[in-house]
Amino acid sequence: MPADRAFGVPAVVCVSREDETGDALLARLLPAVRGRGISILVLSYDAFSGPWRGQSEGLFSCCIDYLSAQANVDATRIGVYGEGLSAALATDLAASDDRVAAAVCDGGLWNWARRTASIGWMTGRSDVTDDEAKSMSRLRSMRQLKCPALLVAGSRGIVHPSEAIKLQAECAEADIHLDVEIPPVAQTPLGEIENFVKVDDFIFGWLERKLANGSAT
């Protein structure tokens, strides 16, 4: 969805969560993207769980190659956005490809949790590292990111709000900037319902600011 501008516009590779199709994500994001002058390339999580499983970085890089070749896209202002397990994929891409200028991701918390669980299973211990070691492990993933990052915690993501807040505090102490958004929820007879419209608007407002010309904060 190109914007009518004289120069290239920012673009974002968007990957749906594991239980959502690419078409459903596109339909949901269109209101949040409209009027922001951002192009989006939407992919389904299924694309990464099929033949490309284990080669997500290569597929993501191909997407960036494609966007960079588009005449209406500014190749220096490409972001990545993932939800659910795709947020972990977005972290891996932002860490491996320095062309990523902004990332809505999980900050490496999913891979950290998997490693911790694996070590615990192999050793038979539920608490295999002390708090300092845990902090260092979490920060290691954040230091690999060379771009601004936003972590969305809560019901729509794979990161618990308490872990997100903890990581943000650790990043602040290490002089690493990480933005965290915890979506508001409403209590209903059916349980908690997240205001996804408001959250999507916040996410793309954040991407718009981070991918603005000359923006590095």
Side-chain angles (χ1 to χ4, degrees), residues 27-33 36 81 83 156 181 183-184 193-205:
R28 202 191 78 212
L29 294 184
L30 283 176
V33 177
R36 295 190 185 276
Y81 160 52
E83 282 189 356
R156 213 165 75 190
E181 170 70 359
I193 296 180
E194 180 184 298
N195 187 340
F196 68 86
V197 174
K198 185 175 181 179
V199 176
D200 290 340
D201 188 65
F202 175 88
I203 290 171
F204 277 88

Side-chain angles (χ1 to χ4, degrees), residues 98-110:
D98 58 11
R99 293 177 296 175
V100 177
V104 180
C105 59
D106 78 332
L109 287 180
W110 173 249

Side-chain angles (χ1 to χ4, degrees), residues 39-188:
S39 291
I40 59 174
L41 174 62
V42 176
L43 301 174
S44 169
Y45 177 79
D46 289 345
F48 298 92
S49 60
W52 278 88
R53 188 176 183 86
Q55 304 177 52
S56 57
E57 294 174 10
L59 179 53
F60 264 128
S61 292
C62 288
C63 293
I64 295 179
D65 290 342
Y66 170 79
L67 288 173
S68 299
Q70 304 307 303
N72 67 307
V73 170
D74 183 344
T76 68
R77 296 190 288 154
I78 295 177
V80 61
Y81 160 52
E83 282 189 356
L85 292 179
S86 296
L89 295 177
T91 300
D92 292 341
L93 173 66
S96 65
D97 197 320
D98 58 11
R99 293 177 296 175
V100 177
V104 180
C105 59
D106 78 332
L109 287 180
W110 173 249
N111 287 334
W112 167 79
R114 285 198 305 173
R115 286 194 300 269
T116 302
S118 177
I119 294 172
W121 177 80
M122 288 186 294
T123 61
R125 296 173 55 192
S126 59
D127 184 14
V128 296
T129 55
D130 59 26
D131 289 342
E132 184 176 357
K134 289 179 181 179
S135 176
M136 291 177 62
S137 179
R138 285 189 290 254
L139 289 174
R140 191 175 300 116
S141 294
M142 281 302 304
R143 286 195 174 96
Q144 292 175 356
L145 301 182
K146 306 302 182 185
C147 65
L150 170 66
L151 194 163
V152 181
S155 59
R156 213 165 75 190
I158 56 176
V159 177
H160 191 275
S162 63
E163 282 293 337
I165 293 172
K166 184 184 300 182
L167 178 61
Q168 185 180 37
E170 292 168 348
C171 285
E173 290 182 3
D175 199 26
I176 301 172
H177 185 78
L178 171 67
D179 290 318
V180 170
E181 170 70 359
I182 300 176
V185 296
Q187 297 292 339
T188 73

